[in-house]
Amino acid sequence: MERVVLTGMGIISPLGHEVETFWNRLCRGESGISRIDTFDISRFKTKIAGLVREFDADARFGRKEARRMDRFCQFALAAAEQALDDSGLALDKIDRERLGVYVGSGIGGIQTLLEQDGILRDRGPERVSPTLVPMMISNMAAAMISIKYGALGPTLSPVTACSIGNTAIGEAFRLIRAGGADAVIAGGAEAAVTEISLASFGNATALSGRNDEPARASRPFDAGRDGFVMAEGAGIVVLESLSHAQRRNARIYAEVIGYGASSDAYHVVATHPEGIGAYQAMRSALREANVKPEEVDVISAHATSTELGDKSETMAIKKLFGEHACRIPVTANKSMTGHMLGAAGGAEAIALAKSLGQGIIPPTINQEQPDPDCDLDYVPNEARQAKLKIGISNSFGFGGHNAVIVLKAYAE
């Protein structure tokens, strides 16, 4: 089987629009959470989010092209462009029938749907845009990337809620490993910070209510956590077979060595209280990677800052790693980015690859009150230098979807 390596990375996030800015701000423990100013929030319970600021789609794509894409699709295309440029793939010199695109979105073009629904109600059916459906459907990010770059290989838009990024990367890893493609553009995108989404999540009491302290609102594993913070963006990587990357002397960030997926089979929104699905996905990923639990040097946790979710993930880690669990640093990027939903897995894979390459673990910020149910080493408040070889990244989603990837520092 082919070995699979990561050769390109691209990010659009509340912490920046390119990888180095995103990474540096993560390492400094900076928060990307702020008060929402993109619509009237006066009647909403939650008034904060991780917004992508200063993103000019017209400047990037041209006004005509930008208007044909929902915001989630704009994010995906911008991150994919970065990742491809970073990878150095010369599209005119590769077999594009063996270039795939695995990019998903959990909610898709919800802003476009809301806007066109308003037009229907106010101005009648004659004025509804004929591009509504292609702008709204969640596979359009993968489709637009494929169209722009002439990627003729397998194109897939996984929909596994907040685990989409890891599902996309994991399935792309298996495709390449089996010889079904030479390279795949993989990850996720989301732009769901809208009135209706905020209202729904807020009414479900899933969101943090720390409206007066945006930077302190997302606090995974802390005893004072009171819900997640919605965020938006895109995280896209380029995966290649090692032989393909070596033939063109590509820079390699990390190697993908394992992927595990499972279902909680429990509830439509609540995670299994004992973390059974998370445990099974982590166990499967390590088995495929042929890695023993004690060989794992760092865990990038899903860790959304909900009471049950963080507790159950801690339980799953303890169940799998046993006595070694307390010795593994566990970092939670969402403490700074907020929860980027379908984009989270891709963004966190990028952060993990940077960690392995630079020997730095970003902190979990807002660690102020220890929770007796969350008692692992969460790298509190300050980044840490460490010798890192193998890391895992967890992503879990509504419906009980769990996806875990294993990355390894690259060595020939």
Side-chain angles (χ1 to χ4, degrees):
M1 289 187 177
E2 291 275 7
R3 290 170 65 183
V4 180
V5 293
L6 193 162
T7 59
M9 304 188 291
I11 190 85
I12 301 293
S13 81
L15 292 178
H17 304 168
E18 50 88 26
V19 170
E20 287 306 311
T21 299
F22 166 75
W23 171 245
N24 289 335
R25 294 188 69 188
L26 272 183
C27 290
R28 291 195 296 266
E30 295 184 20
S31 174
I33 311 304
S34 61
R35 195 170 180 85
I36 296 169
D37 56 10
T38 51
F39 53 85
D40 182 4
I41 55 173
S42 58
R43 296 178 61 187
F44 289 82
K45 296 178 181 178
T46 293
K47 305 176 188 297
I48 56 176
L51 297 172
V52 170
R53 303 282 188 181
E54 299 177 358
F55 181 84
D56 190 339
D58 289 355
R60 283 179 178 267
F61 308 115
R63 178 173 171 79
K64 183 177 180 181
E65 188 66 18
R67 292 184 66 183
R68 293 177 178 173
M69 293 185 284
D70 184 86
R71 186 170 168 87
F72 89 97
C73 197
Q74 295 170 355
F75 290 165
L77 206 56
E81 181 178 4
Q82 287 179 50
L84 277 170
D85 287 347
D86 186 44
S87 74
L89 268 176
L91 296 178
D92 59 341
K93 295 181 180 179
I94 67 171
D95 182 355
R96 283 187 280 181
E97 291 185 11
R98 293 183 58 78
L99 173 63
V101 182
Y102 280 22
V103 175
S105 177
I107 298 176
I110 191 168
Q111 183 61 50
T112 295
L113 177 62
L114 290 172
E115 290 170 356
Q116 292 301 314
D117 180 67
I119 289 172
L120 172 65
R121 296 173 185 279
D122 295 341
R123 301 168 64 185
E126 300 84 2
R127 303 309 299 268
V128 172
S129 172
T131 64
L132 164 61
V133 172
M135 288 177 66
M136 179 188 71
I137 51 181
S138 59
N139 71 300
M140 199 48 59
M144 291 297 290
I145 293 168
S146 174
I147 290 166
K148 180 171 181 176
Y149 295 107
L152 300 170
T155 300
L156 177 70
S157 179
V159 181
T160 54
C162 302
S163 64
I164 281 171
N166 274 9
T167 302
I169 293 169
E171 295 296 337
F173 155 70
R174 288 184 175 169
L175 176 71
I176 296 169
R177 191 179 62 161
D182 294 327
V184 179
I185 302 162
E190 207 76 85
V193 184
T194 64
E195 294 98 325
I196 199 165
S197 304
L198 191 71
S200 178
F201 279 131
N203 290 342
T205 67
L207 300 179
S208 172
R210 290 178 180 262
N211 295 316
D212 296 330
E213 302 177 299
R216 299 178 65 227
S218 185
R219 45 200 316 112
F221 304 116
D222 184 76
R225 64 191 185 277
D226 67 335
F228 75 89
V229 178
M230 286 187 72
E232 59 183 358
I236 307 289
V237 300
V238 173
L239 302 182
E240 293 183 65
S241 68
L242 177 60
S243 58
H244 190 268
Q246 287 177 328
R247 283 197 298 272
R248 62 184 194 85
N249 295 315
R251 174 184 53 196
I252 295 172
Y253 288 106
E255 183 173 0
V256 186
I257 60 172
Y259 164 56
S262 72
S263 176
D264 284 357
Y266 174 73
H267 193 273
V268 292
V269 294
T271 187
H272 192 287
E274 297 177 6
I276 298 300
Y279 161 76
Q280 291 174 339
M282 288 189 288
R283 183 186 62 184
S284 295
L286 292 185
R287 283 179 176 175
E288 184 169 68
N290 195 27
V291 167
K292 298 176 182 178
E294 59 267 24
E295 294 179 287
V296 174
D297 300 307
V298 63
I299 297 171
S300 175
H302 179 62
T304 61
S305 189
T306 62
E307 182 177 356
L308 178 58
D310 294 358
K311 178 181 176 180
S312 65
E313 186 171 8
T314 298
M315 293 174 67
I317 292 170
K318 288 181 175 181
K319 181 177 176 65
L320 179 60
F321 292 94
E323 293 181 358
H324 188 58
C326 63
R327 294 189 288 272
I328 306 174
V330 178
T331 183
N333 296 165
K334 293 182 184 71
S335 63
M336 294 168 279
T337 64
H339 191 353
M340 294 166 65
L341 307 178
E348 289 161 12
I350 290 169
L352 181 56
K354 294 290 286 185
S355 280
L356 295 175
Q358 297 191 12
I360 301 173
I361 306 171
T364 301
I365 67 170
N366 297 321
Q367 297 296 287
E368 298 172 353
Q369 299 174 263
D371 182 343
D373 292 323
C374 298
D375 55 355
L376 300 178
D377 175 7
Y378 302 116
V379 194
N381 302 317
E382 293 185 4
R384 181 183 304 169
Q385 292 188 326
K387 186 176 181 180
L388 305 173
K389 183 179 179 182
I390 294 173
I392 69 172
S393 180
N394 293 340
S395 284
F396 314 134
F398 278 2
H401 301 289
N402 306 294
V404 176
I405 57 172
V406 185
L407 301 187
K408 182 179 180 181
Y410 174 67
E412 294 187 27

